[in-house]
Amino acid sequence: MKNIINVNKAIIASTVLAISFILFLGPTSITMNTFASTNTANQGIGQSQSSTQLGVCVSGDGTLFSCNNLNAQNQANTGNNAAAQSGGNDDDDDDDDGGNTANQGIGQSQSSNQNALCVSGTGTFVSCNNLNAQNQANSGNNALAQQGGQGSGANIANQAIGQSQSSTQNSGVVSGGSTSGSGNNQNTQSQTNTGK
């Protein structure tokens, strides 16, 4: 179980690091090319959610409506990530010519880990169920316009829209009698991206 949780945390961390790395590239390029007349834009819209749930029930008698894990995650992004650059002219030296550089990212990430265990001396009813609902809706446009980049300078644009979801569910039910309505795993994930 710890390994699964660590993997999901690694996915979220990787997503955040990727966006951070993209945003880091712009200022670094300016530092390395201090003589160029360069326009640089670094923009990012990031959303991240993580949930870990653990339920354990041990009863000498029956277990009723217990140790259920319910998780609902929703991300709605309607923000436009828009940039416009003009110029990036030649600085008239022979070594470095100006250009436009833009790094843009819209990222959504969700992770859910649910574990439930029920041990009952008699019956287990409507217990140790894992219910997970994840929804991502992105209607924000990742729009960019560049003009200029004279001389040998180039216009460079790095754009990305990413959506990631992860769900892990484990349930165990041990009963001396009935296990009606128990030990169920239900997962619903939705990703809607209408952004351009």
Side-chain angles (χ1 to χ4, degrees), residues 106 108 136-141 161-163 191-196:
I106 296 176
Q108 294 172 310
Q136 291 177 336
N138 173 39
S139 59
N141 295 315
I161 296 176
Q163 293 172 309
Q191 290 178 333
T192 302
N193 178 28
T194 58
K196 297 178 181 179

Side-chain angles (χ1 to χ4, degrees), residues 45-66:
I45 297 175
Q47 296 173 307
S48 179
Q49 293 173 314
S50 178
S51 174
T52 301
Q53 296 173 312
L54 175 63
V56 178
C57 287
V58 179
S59 175
D61 199 355
T63 302
L64 178 65
F65 293 109
S66 301

Side-chain angles (χ1 to χ4, degrees), residues 19-102:
I19 293 174
S20 299
F21 180 72
I22 289 173
L23 298 178
F24 176 74
L25 288 178
T28 303
S29 65
I30 292 177
T31 303
M32 295 171 62
N33 192 10
T34 56
F35 298 103
S37 175
T38 305
N39 293 324
T40 303
N42 300 297
Q43 295 176 252
I45 297 175
Q47 296 173 307
S48 179
Q49 293 173 314
S50 178
S51 174
T52 301
Q53 296 173 312
L54 175 63
V56 178
C57 287
V58 179
S59 175
D61 199 355
T63 302
L64 178 65
F65 293 109
S66 301
C67 286
N68 294 302
N69 293 317
L70 307 176
N71 177 48
Q73 293 178 332
N74 181 62
Q75 290 178 338
N77 173 34
T78 58
N80 294 316
N81 198 16
Q85 293 176 320
S86 178
N89 297 324
D90 189 353
D91 59 5
D92 295 327
D93 67 20
D94 294 331
D95 297 326
D96 300 303
D97 289 330
N100 295 316
T101 302

